[in-house]
Amino acid sequence: MALFVIASCQLMVVLDITIVNIALPHIQRSLDFSTTSLSWVVNAYTLTFGGLLLLGGRVGDILGRRRVFVFGVLLFVLASLLGGLSQNSWQLLAARALQGVGGAIASPTALALISTTFREGPERNRAFGVFAAVSAGGGAIGLLAGGMLVEWLNWRWVLFVNVPIGLLIVLATPRWIRESERHPGHFDLTGALASTIGMVLLVYGFIRAAQDGWRDGVTLAAFGAAVVVLLTFVLVERRSRQPITPLHMFADRNRAGTYGMMLSLAAAIFGMFFFLTLFVQNVLDFSPLQAGLAFLPVSAVIAVGAGLASQLLPKYGPKPFMVTGAILAATGLAWLTLTDVHSTYAGSILGPLLVFSLGMGMEFVSLTLMALSNVATHETGAASGLLNATQQVGGSLGLSILVTMFGTASNHEADKQIPAFLAQATRAERLRFERTGRLPPPYADEILTAGVSSAFVVAAIFTAIAAVIALLVIQVRPSDLERLQGGGMPTS
């Protein structure tokens, strides 16, 4: 039951990244977002989530993980309610950012609670396997749930649904989860704010470049400010007695490689969900429910990959699954680059999705175990927060890079499609285009597809980088295998 409560919280937090994805076309029309600015509906959540995860893990170490876990879930519930009530774009983005704060408090304490609740060895391996499967498969479940809610109710319910779920988690937590030992310390608020602001500026620079070009003054200023703030963050962390990001964790070769892999893979999976959701609804003309069902096999195959990895890890170690998983993910994304306006779901989408999902299922179990290997008990919150932070920051930064590629490629395609449309359009069609700035099908489909295909090229490169890191950096020692089999001594 403790694992069920912890996994339910992680499912709610991870699911919220993609449950909103399925509603993006409806949110765009309802609150008047452009396609590139629409990515902020995702990034407002993931940036605050990723930027404050390290602080969330630290807060749990100092104040007690159970009470911090409950507070984070309650804050998440409040933000979800406010988001569902939003009447314009800034209200929704503010609520999404507040959701990210709640998730940043709840998620790392959830992962740390596994380390303190389950014994090292097969029992903890199974718990991590469930947690990793939820983390990886929750995205696809969110798409299905989002499809049903948008189809049967409206887009606001993709946020309202968190309220009853979160309240049930809060009620169940005191009964099934015991409080952890508190470790004295202080909060590195300066480091938390510097990392979050720096990443927001960096992501804004990429998204601005997609809209206004790389020579735009605001774009260049955003990149320059991001570099200054992130360098300040590193200096603050080096001088802090109790930094939010313990830099010594990067001294371990395997852990540093794991964080690098998570950055790359998160960029790929965030981009895959974002762009495929737009493609199947706008080009293949799927309803929200059909779009959600289209991603249902992802959850099943991720669960298979995670289960396979968690069973065989004690015998073979994580490296073979890290390498194989990244190669499979890269293969699936490379396959998706062949998508065009004539593609079908069964012929062009399903196969790549299954290959990609099998690889990601292997990856998330392996990465989770490797990131928390050889970590002292009093630092498990910080280590789990850093792993989650790399996932969310990598997803936000990667999505912004993919949006930039999407914008560049779709703009080039628009230069071809607009003259073709104007050459044969009726007077009424021209007036409609001048008023809305939107092309009708098939011209709009060609533009969207060109951008999506280019984005998948870059996503495939991200996963290929992860494969290279797994092959060249990760080293599994005999002591690591001994711990996975339950024979090693726990770190104190």
Side-chain angles (χ1 to χ4, degrees):
M1 285 303 300
L3 180 59
F4 178 77
V5 172
I6 293 169
S8 295
C9 172
Q10 183 67 5
L11 177 62
M12 181 180 68
V13 171
V14 172
L15 177 148
D16 211 73
I17 298 170
T18 55
I19 194 172
V20 173
N21 270 16
I22 211 75
L24 287 175
H26 300 265
I27 293 173
Q28 183 176 18
R29 290 190 291 271
S30 177
L31 301 181
D32 198 27
F33 282 94
S34 68
T35 301
T36 48
S37 66
L38 192 63
S39 62
W40 279 110
V41 177
V42 177
N43 284 333
Y45 176 73
T46 55
L47 277 173
T48 51
F49 189 13
L52 297 176
L53 268 168
L54 301 172
L55 181 62
R58 184 70 179 150
V59 170
D61 289 341
I62 295 173
L63 298 182
R65 289 170 189 146
R66 190 179 72 178
R67 63 170 54 88
V68 169
F69 176 78
V70 169
F71 175 77
V73 174
L74 284 173
L75 186 60
F76 192 90
V77 166
L78 173 63
S80 299
L81 179 62
L82 294 175
L85 296 172
S86 299
Q87 298 301 309
N88 53 51
S89 58
W90 74 262
Q91 290 176 349
L92 177 61
L93 295 182
R96 291 287 286 164
L98 187 61
Q99 274 189 305
V101 177
I105 294 171
S107 184
T109 51
L111 183 54
L113 282 168
I114 289 182
S115 296
T116 55
T117 304
F118 299 93
R119 290 191 302 272
E120 194 163 29
E123 181 179 287
R124 190 182 295 179
N125 293 347
R126 286 191 295 270
F128 275 139
V130 172
F131 189 89
V134 166
S135 298
I141 295 171
L143 290 168
L144 177 60
M148 291 188 291
L149 291 169
V150 174
E151 182 97 354
W152 296 337
L153 298 169
N154 61 54
W155 68 264
R156 297 180 184 278
W157 280 92
V158 302
L159 297 166
F160 287 148
V161 71
N162 293 319
V163 176
I165 296 173
L167 292 177
L168 287 174
I169 292 172
V170 169
L171 291 174
T173 298
R175 179 180 176 88
W176 300 106
I177 297 177
R178 65 178 183 270
E179 184 57 277
S180 65
E181 181 183 354
R182 298 170 66 173
H183 301 279
H186 76 280
F187 307 119
D188 182 14
L189 293 175
T190 304
L193 289 175
S195 63
T196 304
I197 293 171
M199 289 308 305
V200 168
L201 288 168
L202 189 60
V203 168
Y204 177 76
F206 279 110
I207 294 176
R208 175 86 183 190
Q211 295 174 318
D212 299 288
W214 290 95
R215 297 182 181 180
D216 175 67
V218 177
T219 300
L220 296 175
F223 282 128
V227 171
V228 172
V229 175
L230 290 174
L231 285 175
T232 302
F233 165 70
V234 174
L235 292 175
V236 168
E237 297 308 280
R238 290 183 65 180
R239 295 175 182 177
S240 175
R241 289 186 298 107
Q242 293 181 325
I244 193 173
T245 307
L247 298 180
H248 67 266
M249 288 192 176
F250 292 95
D252 183 278
R253 173 179 179 150
N254 285 345
R255 198 172 299 115
T258 297
Y259 294 146
M261 289 184 67
M262 182 61 86
L263 279 170
S264 299
L265 292 170
I269 196 167
F270 275 49
M272 186 274 289
F273 280 129
F274 183 85
F275 289 109
L276 269 188
T277 300
L278 294 178
F279 180 83
V280 298
Q281 291 192 71
N282 293 333
V283 178
L284 299 186
D285 202 28
F286 280 21
S287 69
L289 180 57
Q290 288 174 318
L293 290 170
F295 288 98
L296 189 57
V298 173
S299 294
V301 177
I302 283 178
V304 170
L308 181 67
S310 61
Q311 289 293 320
L312 298 178
L313 269 168
K315 182 175 182 180
Y316 298 105
K319 181 168 181 173
F321 301 98
M322 296 170 97
V323 175
T324 303
I327 291 174
L328 287 172
T331 301
L333 289 169
W335 192 352
L336 282 172
T337 63
L338 304 177
T339 303
D340 59 31
V341 293
H342 305 293
S343 296
T344 63
Y345 173 75
S348 304
I349 305 297
L350 181 59
L353 271 183
L354 297 180
V355 174
F356 177 84
S357 303
L358 182 63
M360 292 306 296
M362 294 180 179
E363 285 292 350
F364 275 88
V365 175
S366 307
L367 292 172
T368 302
L369 282 169
M370 186 62 76
L372 295 181
S373 177
N374 291 323
V375 176
T377 301
H378 69 279
E379 288 190 328
T380 54
S384 59
L386 192 54
L387 177 66
N388 277 313
T390 54
Q391 179 182 355
Q392 302 307 321
V393 170
S396 296
L397 182 59
L399 180 57
S400 67
I401 294 171
L402 296 180
V403 165
T404 303
M405 294 303 300
F406 168 87
T408 302
S410 57
N411 286 338
H412 288 163
E413 185 65 24
D415 291 339
K416 302 176 186 177
Q417 297 299 327
I418 291 175
F421 164 73
L422 294 176
Q424 61 80 49
T426 65
R427 187 170 186 276
E429 289 173 333
R430 291 190 181 195
L431 289 174
R432 190 180 304 113
F433 172 65
E434 291 174 3
R435 187 176 67 254
T436 64
R438 296 178 181 175
L439 292 172
Y443 306 100
D445 294 347
E446 291 282 1
I447 293 171
L448 179 66
T449 302
V452 168
S453 181
S454 296
F456 283 139
V457 171
V458 181
I461 293 173
F462 285 148
T463 49
I465 291 172
V468 172
I469 294 173
L471 191 62
L472 300 182
V473 177
I474 301 299
Q475 292 181 337
V476 179
R477 297 158 290 224
S479 59
D480 295 324
L481 290 176
E482 187 178 358
R483 272 191 301 275
L484 289 172
Q485 294 162 5
M489 294 297 294
T491 306
S492 61

